[in-house]
Amino acid sequence: MLFVALAIMRGLQHWLVNSYLPTTAMDAGAQNSVMMVARYAGIIAAVLWALGALGIGMEKLAVVLGALSVGIGFGLQAITQNFVSGLILLAERPVKIGDLVRIGNMEGDVKRINVRSTEIQVADRSTLIVPNSELITKTIQNMTLAAPIGRIQLQFSVPLEEDLDAVRTMLFAAFAEKHEVLDDPEPKVFIDSIDAGRAKFNCFAYVASPRDAYPMRSELLFTLLRQFREAGIEVGSTATKMEIVGGVPAPRAPDTPADQLTE
């Protein structure tokens, strides 16, 4: 009975994945949630059906589970917590397949949500396996949940003697010539502060996806650095100079006579 029920469950899962779910308007994350819930519900139903065939009714099963509940609670506490957290992730979907998330200093795409853990592919193509309880109980940054757009930030400084209006015009022109940069929200250029005779610029622009922010930031920097160099505008920070004022005697060697020291 168990094998028959599991075979029926596998056939239903195959039909959901290959025939029914692709025809719906649900995204990949919702399809995965439906598939996983159907899978676990089918396994539970198969086990209950097999136990019923053995003559073990629900009342006997409740007595056995009650006797084992204390041991299960202590021995399998972490597994149970991750299992329940996985069900919460599938139901509430604060994180779904395809999302770009950041956990601590790690950032990557959610590839799979299992009953115990979630698989996240990071930039070096390795897989970060995160227990589901970490995604429920701790703070994570989902960069594609609400407004899946990316922000580019450029920070640099130029001397106050330069034409600051020309610098701002070059920045807006560089943003406008990149079709990946969005018009809404529009790019912003600010002078953040003035320090040591330099004006510090802080600029923002937006792209369609957080995944495009880093490469587009690099493209903009290449373009702006070339244009600033052609226009003779110095960008960056002034090198720090240190001068020793007054005569500081050189340290005396241990066995060197005083009349042999070079002034």
Side-chain angles (χ1 to χ4, degrees):
M1 296 298 291
L2 178 63
F3 290 141
V4 169
L6 290 176
I8 294 174
M9 183 269 296
R10 287 182 177 274
L12 176 61
Q13 182 180 355
H14 184 271
W15 173 75
L16 282 174
V17 173
N18 298 302
S19 299
Y20 176 71
L21 292 178
T23 62
T24 64
M26 292 186 291
D27 57 21
Q31 293 182 22
N32 179 75
S33 299
V34 172
M35 185 269 293
M36 296 295 288
V37 171
R39 177 184 178 184
Y40 297 130
I43 292 175
I44 294 174
V47 171
L48 293 178
W49 193 9
L51 292 176
L54 291 174
I56 302 177
M58 291 299 298
E59 63 282 355
K60 297 180 181 179
L61 185 61
V63 173
V64 174
L65 292 178
L68 296 177
S69 60
V70 177
I72 292 175
F74 285 102
L76 302 178
Q77 183 177 6
I79 296 177
T80 304
Q81 183 180 9
N82 288 324
F83 176 78
V84 174
S85 299
L87 297 179
I88 295 175
L89 287 176
L90 294 174
E92 293 187 357
R93 301 178 65 207
V95 174
K96 59 183 183 296
I97 293 177
D99 283 351
L100 180 63
V101 298
R102 180 176 295 157
I103 302 176
N105 60 348
M106 303 296 292
E107 179 181 310
D109 298 309
V110 178
K111 292 299 182 183
R112 181 169 180 156
I113 300 177
N114 300 312
V115 67
R116 188 194 67 84
S117 61
T118 296
E119 299 177 8
I120 300 174
Q121 188 177 66
V122 295
D124 61 359
R125 314 308 293 176
S126 62
T127 300
L128 181 67
I129 300 176
V130 182
N132 288 331
S133 59
E134 297 285 321
L135 301 178
I136 294 297
T137 60
K138 294 189 176 180
T139 301
I140 66 171
Q141 183 180 5
N142 190 334
M143 291 174 282
T144 55
L145 179 62
I149 62 174
R151 190 184 74 165
I152 299 170
Q153 183 177 14
L154 303 177
Q155 293 178 305
F156 60 92
S157 65
V158 298
L160 290 176
E161 295 77 14
E162 301 289 352
D163 189 347
L164 302 184
D165 290 328
V167 173
R168 180 172 59 178
T169 302
M170 294 172 67
L171 285 166
F172 280 122
F175 291 142
E177 73 179 17
K178 302 294 184 182
H179 66 274
E180 293 87 354
V181 176
L182 301 178
D183 296 329
D184 186 20
E186 62 182 7
K188 300 288 186 181
V189 176
F190 303 98
I191 292 181
D192 189 63
S193 63
I194 298 175
D195 184 26
R198 306 183 67 88
K200 296 184 177 180
F201 280 83
N202 196 8
C203 315
F204 299 94
Y206 298 87
V207 290
S209 171
R211 298 175 179 86
D212 300 331
Y214 188 80
M216 181 50 53
R217 179 177 179 270
S218 177
E219 288 292 329
L220 285 168
L221 286 174
F222 274 115
T223 300
L224 289 170
L225 289 175
R226 184 182 66 253
Q227 292 179 355
F228 288 153
R229 184 172 59 251
E230 293 172 352
I233 299 176
E234 186 250 325
V235 180
S237 59
T238 304
T240 302
K241 297 181 181 180
M242 182 177 66
E243 296 182 4
I244 300 178
V245 181
V248 179
R252 180 175 179 177
D255 298 327
T256 303
D259 56 355
Q260 296 181 7
L261 291 177
T262 304
E263 293 184 358

